[in-house]
Amino acid sequence: MLVRSLTIPVKSTQRITSAAISALARLGIHSAADMLLHYPRDWEDRTKTVPLCEFKRARVCTVVTVVARDWIGYGRMKTLKAYVEDESGRAVLLCFNRPWLEKQLVTGAKFRLWGRFYFKYGEIQSGSFEIEPIEKSTEHGSVLPVYSLCSGLTQTQLRRFTSRLLEKCAAQIEDELVQEIIERDNLLHKSEAIRAIHFPNSQDELEYAKKTLIYEELFYLEIMVGKRVLERKGQKRNAVDSTGLEKGAPFTKLQQRLIERLPFALTAGQIAAITEINYDMASNVPMARLLQGDVGSGKTLVSFMTALLAVEKNAQAAIMAPTELLARQHAENASRLLEPVGCRIAFLTGNIKAAGRKELLKNLKAGEIDIVVGTHALFSKDVAYKNLKLVVIDEQHRFGVTQRSLIMSKGNNPGLLMMSATPIPRTLAFTVFGDMDVSIIKDMPPGRKPIKTHLAKESNEMKVYDYVRRELEQGRQAYFVYPLIDGGEDIKDAVSMEVRLAKEVFPQYKTALIHSKLPDEQKRQTMDDFRRGTIKILAATSVVEVGVDVPNATCMVIEHAERFGLSALHQLRGRVGRGQDQSYCFLVYSDELTEDGKTRLKVMLESSDGFVIAEEDLKLRGPGLIAGTEQSGYMFLGIADPIRDIDQLERARADAFSVLESDPGLLLEDHRIIARVLEEAPPFPEIML
Ligand code: ADP
Ligand code: MG
């Protein structure tokens, strides 16, 4: 049986309460397969002792004795504070909401203790620890899975469910790789790998399980990419028409008109990209191109130039952005730049209300709109185009799984232009976007002053605020970015900091809040006001990470910078330095940040090149650390990370292509399993490649 064919509902495999069933459903776990494929997000190694004194380095795993007790708070809020000791030192256990621990944590008692500890009020403490009486210790000496959870489900429960399920059906799980490869690379059989990814007998076994599952996933990714490459190779490319391009002229008439209206000259990189695209669009094979360029390199304009080409062919273009905010900004720019050269522009998102929407859809269908800009609503069921010839997808990495066929079905073989600022090393781009052509804009518009980046300790934040104040006095604007929307306990969050910035720090300037949970209308209003300069300070989460363009904003303050991935920091920093004035980026980090953490942030001081930063991030991001969110574009992958696992990816690609080249129909006995997997239980939904 293939794992993904184990469609039997979990609830029929064992006894589970209905409350737990609905919690599992919220995690997307319905079937046995779902549960087995809900891989741990981390593992807790209880095989190695980590004494209290090493709490900064890792999760503590030690044996302690309770040496004293104390209470904090009163009445129902009364909380036990237990002082414990191992050979290396002393720490405090805070028993919030766990009154039953009073009976266990009595002076003199001995326990195994696990948990993350931090330094606060002069003590090493933890509020989220686990203990086990020393005599009936069962979990010591094992490597335990740590799953993503949701409310109504505990770690212990999910461990139990998964373990019971494995007992029941692990044995039936079939291999999905060719035996030859399993032997060649010393991989585990699939049933073993699935068991060991959840409950490894050792760190070593866990590594083998990861290696196996990562390889398998990448192999199928490349099989799917490879099939598409072969298909596209089958279509012969020749320039069938060169609409609008006069002999030797690099641009079409409309493109030329737009260029003449611009207050600046195109960069060499933009010109090169447009030339490649013009060539693609003139050929009979639909364009499939990835346009990469660092933040601020001017990709939007390239997409507009491409749209003009479609319009000149009497066709339509759709430009899709990942957020409403960004879509609106593109729509406004499109109106400003493209309406004067004669294009009819429309803006479509999920929020456009009935009457307006009906009218818009009618016009789109009738071909009375040339260029439509919007969110994924552009490809909703009820949207029809008269003659869609170009689809532009901005910030491609944000979309994750997008159904290529759905988008493509809206047009008559439309060309596809994907744009991304996420620095993907060139080799990787070729490997993952196997059947796409790649254009890279390497240069930046001239006249930009390099952004000055500063690191500051949290305890020095007043100095940062003073610096920002001086910029505000000059009439400039500032972003303050926080890792959380609200409810931060140990850390600052956008909601409470907006209040503090407005009331205490900068009372004379207008401040506003922006994050993803606010109603779209409010977000739009806020961004408009910020762009117009009526709002001076924006307290935000990483929603401002993507694409926002306000040239008068010269300060970017990122608090708890250590909590962001370097690529995310780079994207955020790219929000400033977009005008003629000197811009600044302040990375404020916790006073307790380790040396390693500081080294990581220092990369931001030394480089302003997104590619370099991405590579440094890779080198520094040791194994075991959870990957940053920047790779969210590969969310459809369960365990592999094509950037981290680049070596495996290249190997898998070579193997997959050699299989397809020797046996394109997957007819050989050895390859039958691959054909079966693709047919019976494809590992990915139809993905955007
Ligand atoms: P990104 O590649 O990050 O999407 P944008 O397209 O948002 O970058 O461009 C950033 C800014 O640079 C915009 O304000 C845009 O008008 C401006 N810009 C684009 N091309 C040029 C150019 N050739 N010279 C000067 N400014 C440019
Ligand atoms: Mg952009």
Side-chain angles (χ1 to χ4, degrees), residues 114-157:
W114 298 278
R116 282 224 176 275
F117 281 71
Y118 44 89
F119 194 75
K120 207 170 176 183
Y121 307 123
E123 296 168 332
I124 301 170
Q125 47 172 256
S126 175
S128 57
F129 55 87
E130 287 175 62
I131 54 165
E132 218 174 52
I134 193 115
E135 58 276 12
K136 54 175 188 181
S137 183
T138 52
E139 295 192 328
H140 180 67
S142 43
V143 181
L144 290 179
V146 180
Y147 297 105
S148 308
L149 295 172
C150 63
S151 66
L153 194 66
T154 66
Q155 207 58 258
T156 323
Q157 276 178 306

Side-chain angles (χ1 to χ4, degrees), residues 56-74:
K56 272 197 179 168
R57 181 176 65 78
R59 188 186 278 267
V60 163
C61 172
T62 186
V63 174
V64 292
T65 312
V66 181
V67 291
R69 289 156 47 111
D70 195 1
W71 271 267
I72 49 174
Y74 298 94

Side-chain angles (χ1 to χ4, degrees), residues 300 394-395 547:
T300 316
D394 193 15
E395 302 296 345

Side-chain angles (χ1 to χ4, degrees), residues 481-485 491-494 540-542 559-561 563-564:
V481 176
Y482 302 91
L484 287 183
I485 295 181
I491 60 171
K492 300 199 177 95
D493 59 67
T541 56
S542 55
E559 303 222 45
H560 302 291
R563 289 176 179 254
F564 292 85

Side-chain angles (χ1 to χ4, degrees), residues 323-472:
T323 62
E324 170 114 22
L325 212 70
L326 194 53
R328 183 173 293 274
Q329 181 180 288
H330 284 342
E332 282 163 8
N333 284 330
S335 305
R336 187 169 53 82
L337 293 169
L338 305 179
E339 269 167 6
V341 301
C343 296
R344 294 161 298 179
I345 314 283
F347 177 55
L348 177 64
T349 70
N351 284 324
I352 297 200
K353 295 292 170 305
R357 183 181 169 90
K358 212 166 160 198
E359 176 77 16
L360 198 158
L361 294 188
K362 203 182 92 208
N363 291 339
L364 205 54
K365 196 168 177 188
E368 276 153 30
I369 290 167
D370 302 310
I371 299 172
V372 60
V373 184
T375 54
H376 53 269
L378 290 176
F379 302 100
S380 323
K381 266 216 188 88
D382 58 342
V383 180
Y385 295 80
K386 174 145 191 254
N387 182 18
L388 181 65
K389 268 287 177 205
L390 172 71
V391 176
V392 176
I393 298 179
D394 193 15
E395 302 296 345
Q396 174 277 328
H397 68 288
R398 279 297 176 110
F399 278 98
V401 184
T402 312
Q403 292 207 318
R404 186 177 183 146
S405 62
L406 184 71
I407 291 176
M408 292 305 162
S409 69
K410 296 283 182 191
N412 168 27
N413 260 335
L416 181 64
L417 178 67
M418 307 215 281
M419 306 200 287
S420 172
T422 305
I424 309 170
R426 200 182 167 90
T427 48
L428 181 70
F430 279 124
T431 317
V432 178
F433 300 97
D435 70 334
M436 301 207 88
D437 300 303
V438 181
S439 293
I440 302 183
I441 304 182
K442 287 218 185 85
D443 46 3
M444 283 287 179
R448 299 253 171 93
K449 296 198 179 80
I451 301 162
K452 291 198 174 141
T453 304
H454 299 279
L455 293 186
K457 269 193 191 163
E458 199 173 352
S459 50
N460 284 336
E461 69 185 5
M462 278 309 165
K463 283 193 195 153
V464 174
Y465 295 165
D466 287 343
Y467 213 110
V468 174
R469 190 171 295 113
R470 281 204 288 277
E471 281 292 300
L472 292 166

